[in-house]
Amino acid sequence: MQYSDWQYWFWIKRLQKGRSLERWALRHLHHRDHLNLLAERVVEFNKLHRRPCHVQINSIWIDGTPQATAKARTKDVKCELADLLYIVEELNHKGDIICRKGILLQGKNTVHPKKIDSGNSTRKERALFEKLDRRHELTLNTGVSKTSTIIGQYLLDSVVKEGLSDCARFLLMPKKRCWFHDFIFNCSPFHVTWTKRETSNDMVVGQGLTEAVLEMYSGTGLGKEIIAPTKCEWSRMVLDLENRYKGVGMKGYDRQKRHYSSDTFSFTVHKRFSQNPQVNAEAYYSNDELIDFGSLPYISIIKVSVEYPEQDEPNKRVN
C-alpha cells in the first residue's frame, strides 16, 4: 500500500493547481480513488484473517474547520481544532454498532517525515494538541469571528493529564514531490505521527495513514472510543462535529463532489461468496447541483464502516 500511496501522492503533486499543497492534498484524501485504496486495504486485512465483511467508506470535505478556544496550561489558545476527523466503526449484520473509534488529524507539509516545521499556526496547534488543560472547557466555534456560532463546550476526561494525545495525531506530508530520497520507500507520504518532546520539532517514527486506520480498526493503541454522548464529552463532541452530514458539490476544485461513498465487498472465505473484491465508487458528475450549504458538518470527516455477516460477527467467530 505504501507504493500505492506514493503513486497517489505523485498524482496529487502533478495535478496541483495554484492552491496550497496542504489544502490540495487534504482534499484528495476524500477523492473516490483514495477511498477505494483505503477500502481495499481493509478488505485485504480481513481476507488475511479469513473474515468476511462489507466495507463502506463515506467522506465529506469542506474548506475551513471549527475554531477551538482553550486553555493551554497558563495561556489561552485559539486555532483550528484539526483538519480531519476519522471515524472507524464495526457493525453487526443488522447494522448495529459493535465498536466505534475516532481520531483528529492535523495536516502539515514538511521537508522531513520526522520533523514538523515551525510557524505561528503550528505553534498554536501544537499548544492545543500537547498542552490542553483538560480541567477547563474546550470551546468550538464555526468560524474565527467572535460572533460565530458556538458548536459546543466540552470538558474532556482526564485519561491523559493534558493535551489530546489520546484522540489526535499530526498528519505530515511532503512539501515537494517527496521526502529526502532515503525515506521514500520506507515512509508513507501520509505520515501519522506525534511529537517526541514539546520543546523540539522532532517527531516519533509513525505510520502511514492507511496503517493508522487499520490500527484503529484492529488494535487498541490508536484512536479514542466513541460511546454514548451522555457519558463521554469526547463522544458528544464527535457527534456534534458529525451532525448534519450531507454531500454537496464544491464551487472550486473542478467542482469535485463534497461527498463520496466507496463500497467494497469482500467475501473470500466461503464458497458461496465471490473470490475477488468488487469496488463501486459513487459516480461523479461535474454539473451536480450545489445544495443546502447550511447543513454542512463542522469538520472534514472520513468514516470507515465494516459490517459482518451474522455468522462472522466478532462474538460468533470460531478461531
Side-chain angles (χ1 to χ4, degrees):
M1 185 63 188
Q2 283 189 357
Y3 182 59
S4 296
D5 280 347
W6 275 110
Q7 284 183 321
Y8 195 74
W9 177 260
F10 294 153
W11 179 70
I12 289 173
K13 190 70 178 71
R14 188 172 67 249
L15 296 180
Q16 185 184 358
K17 296 180 181 179
R19 295 175 174 86
S20 76
L21 181 58
E22 180 183 307
R23 298 308 299 164
W24 186 257
L26 289 171
R27 166 252 182 172
H28 275 282
L29 291 179
H30 296 262
H31 194 279
R32 61 183 182 274
D33 290 342
H34 193 267
L35 297 185
N36 285 342
L37 286 175
L38 180 56
E40 287 174 351
R41 187 63 186 274
V42 177
V43 165
E44 289 301 316
F45 178 86
N46 280 289
K47 284 173 66 177
L48 181 65
H49 291 81
R50 300 181 61 80
R51 188 162 58 204
C53 68
H54 164 219
V55 178
Q56 180 176 356
I57 300 183
N58 295 309
S59 79
I60 190 166
W61 189 86
I62 58 175
D63 285 312
T65 57
Q67 288 290 307
T69 304
K71 180 75 72 174
R73 292 185 185 158
T74 59
K75 297 181 179 180
D76 294 328
V77 62
K78 184 176 181 180
C79 61
E80 68 177 11
L81 174 66
D83 287 306
L84 292 161
L85 169 61
Y86 270 73
I87 298 171
V88 178
E89 60 187 20
E90 292 183 88
L91 311 173
N92 64 19
H93 71 286
K94 296 179 181 179
D96 299 324
I97 294 174
I98 299 171
C99 178
R100 201 166 191 249
K101 297 171 74 175
I103 193 167
L104 297 167
L105 294 177
Q106 180 63 58
K108 288 292 175 185
N109 287 111
T110 65
V111 297
H112 197 293
K114 295 182 182 177
K115 288 185 180 292
I116 190 168
D117 290 2
S118 59
N120 188 46
S121 63
T122 302
R123 283 192 293 270
K124 292 179 181 179
E125 291 153 3
R126 285 191 62 178
L128 177 68
F129 271 29
E130 298 175 75
K131 303 175 186 178
L132 171 70
D133 188 338
R134 295 174 77 138
R135 298 172 300 176
H136 296 269
E137 285 185 331
L138 168 67
T139 301
L140 297 184
N141 292 78
T142 56
V144 297
S145 170
K146 292 181 180 179
T147 60
S148 61
T149 303
I150 293 180
I151 298 169
Q153 295 177 308
Y154 312 94
L155 190 62
L156 301 180
D157 60 48
S158 56
V159 170
V160 296
K161 182 179 179 181
E162 60 182 9
L164 296 171
S165 61
D166 59 329
C167 57
R169 289 292 185 273
F170 293 97
L171 174 67
L172 304 189
M173 301 171 288
K175 269 196 169 179
K176 297 184 179 180
R177 191 169 181 266
C178 59
W179 312 108
F180 289 133
H181 64 87
D182 56 330
F183 286 102
I184 191 168
F185 293 114
N186 58 17
C187 183
S188 169
F190 308 106
H191 189 209
V192 178
T193 182
W194 190 254
T195 52
K196 276 189 176 181
R197 296 176 297 277
E198 65 179 67
T199 56
S200 169
N201 289 345
D202 292 338
M203 310 296 283
V204 300
V205 177
Q207 58 194 321
L209 180 56
T210 52
E211 284 70 33
V213 170
L214 285 174
E215 183 175 336
M216 287 178 65
Y217 168 55
S218 62
T220 58
L222 195 64
K224 187 174 178 68
E225 189 176 3
I226 302 167
I227 59 175
T230 56
K231 299 179 180 179
C232 172
E233 289 283 90
W234 153 256
S235 302
R236 183 168 70 88
M237 184 176 78
V238 169
L239 292 176
D240 285 347
L241 293 172
E242 190 184 9
N243 194 26
R244 303 177 183 176
Y245 193 97
K246 273 191 178 180
V248 298
M250 297 184 193
K251 290 183 178 179
Y253 294 107
D254 300 323
R255 293 179 61 85
Q256 177 183 317
K257 291 188 69 176
R258 289 185 180 274
H259 175 267
Y260 278 117
S261 179
S262 176
D263 287 321
T264 301
F265 298 88
S266 174
F267 296 123
T268 60
V269 177
H270 306 292
K271 291 182 179 180
R272 66 181 180 278
F273 298 133
S274 62
Q275 292 299 308
N276 297 313
Q278 297 177 353
V279 179
N280 301 302
E282 183 177 319
Y284 165 54
Y285 301 96
S286 61
N287 60 351
D288 280 348
E289 237 179 272
L290 304 179
I291 57 170
D292 199 7
F293 282 96
S295 68
L296 285 173
Y298 301 116
I299 193 169
S300 297
I301 300 170
I302 294 179
K303 184 192 296 182
V304 181
S305 300
V306 183
E307 184 172 345
Y308 305 107
E310 183 175 6
Q311 67 275 16
D312 289 286
E313 289 172 9
N315 61 348
K316 298 180 181 179
R317 294 176 195 152
V318 178
N319 296 322

